[in-house]
Amino acid sequence: MSTNGVEEVFLFDPQLLEDLPFEDQKCATYKPEIGPTRPGDGLTLRPLCVSDFDKGYLTLLTHLTKVGDISREQFEERFQAMVRTQPNLYYTVVIEDDVTHQVVGSATLVKEMHFIRQCASRGRIEDVVVNSTYQGKQLGKLLVDVLTLLSKKVGCYKVSLECLDNMVPFYSKFGYVKEEGQNYMCRRYVPK
Ligand SMILES: CC(C)(COP(=O)(O)OP(=O)(O)OC[C@H]1O[C@@H](n2cnc3c(N)ncnc32)[C@H](O)[C@@H]1OP(=O)(O)O)[C@@H](O)C(=O)NCCC(=O)NCCS
């Protein structure tokens, strides 16, 4: 894809999103029907690009947690480090408003490689966020549905996520369940 004659660098191959069996295997219900190739009027769903630095991507993330003062150089360095992982381990999808050219939604799938289960990989879904102006338009559902299908497509044997109690009903829509006896434990080195 080229914007103003400048070739875009995607975090991962956009074809992966186009090839998802979304219509057959989506988990949530959509009224009206939307999907990865048609997320809604004037919206585009695609992998994260370097140019999203200028499209409010980091500001969107501030709705989740502290982001800090990240320079373009730091952003590009981190982006390129993610692109270079082989096989690809980072899958951030964004939704862009084609009129304002702002990123209005995003979520990330991280693929972890292990030795267990015959060198299996597992997925983790992180940083699901939709700009408050765009909430209630099914975009959060679309992001989670897309990444859940993508986790299977890229070979994860399971996919998990962490969330607050009030988000459990949201993620239950996609087949996520609280596993009996399993606890999430965390040790922080910096304050929340
Ligand atoms: C959570 C979030 C991503 C949802 O995005 P959204 O685009 O507003 O949600 P959608 O329009 O796709 O989803 C709508 C459906 O999810 C439900 N839903 C939305 N937010 C919910 C919540 N906090 N708890 C429970 N259900 C919720 C709606 O009731 C609706 O259900 P329906 O389809 O049965 O009618 C968005 O509210 C957000 O960015 N919140 C702030 C950041 C955050 O909390 N992220 C999650 C971190 S784990």
Side-chain angles (χ1 to χ4, degrees), residues 121-173:
S121 296
R122 67 172 289 183
R124 292 183 193 271
I125 290 182
E126 307 263 14
D127 302 340
V128 180
V129 62
V130 173
N131 176 312
S132 55
T133 308
Y134 295 77
Q135 286 178 12
K137 296 177 187 291
Q138 312 188 96
L139 300 180
K141 282 195 301 193
L142 182 62
L143 288 164
V144 176
D145 232 350
V146 161
L147 289 190
T148 303
L149 288 173
L150 189 60
S151 70
K152 194 167 178 206
K153 188 169 179 73
V154 300
C156 297
Y157 82 97
K158 72 175 182 183
V159 59
S160 64
L161 54 86
E162 291 150 23
C163 70
L164 298 174
D165 285 346
N166 70 326
M167 292 303 296
V168 170
F170 176 72
Y171 290 114
S172 299
K173 293 179 194 296

Side-chain angles (χ1 to χ4, degrees), residues 2-82:
S2 126
T3 312
N4 302 328
V6 180
E7 205 60 31
E8 276 289 9
V9 181
F10 291 107
L11 186 60
F12 64 93
D13 183 358
Q15 192 65 43
L16 274 173
L17 297 175
E18 284 169 35
D19 293 346
L20 285 179
F22 188 82
E23 290 311 321
D24 298 335
Q25 294 181 26
K26 65 189 171 195
C27 289
T29 51
Y30 297 87
K31 276 189 199 150
E33 290 293 339
I34 58 171
T37 55
R38 47 187 182 107
D41 284 347
L43 298 173
T44 301
L45 185 147
R46 57 167 173 75
L48 181 72
C49 291
V50 173
S51 61
D52 290 326
F53 180 84
D54 299 312
K55 296 183 178 179
Y57 173 62
L58 295 176
T59 305
L60 181 70
L61 295 184
T62 63
H63 297 290
L64 285 168
T65 188
K66 291 176 197 165
V67 174
D69 190 13
I70 298 176
S71 67
R72 173 184 292 274
E73 192 183 12
Q74 285 173 310
F75 182 80
E76 288 191 13
E77 203 173 297
R78 176 52 52 96
F79 183 96
Q80 293 301 343
M82 289 172 167

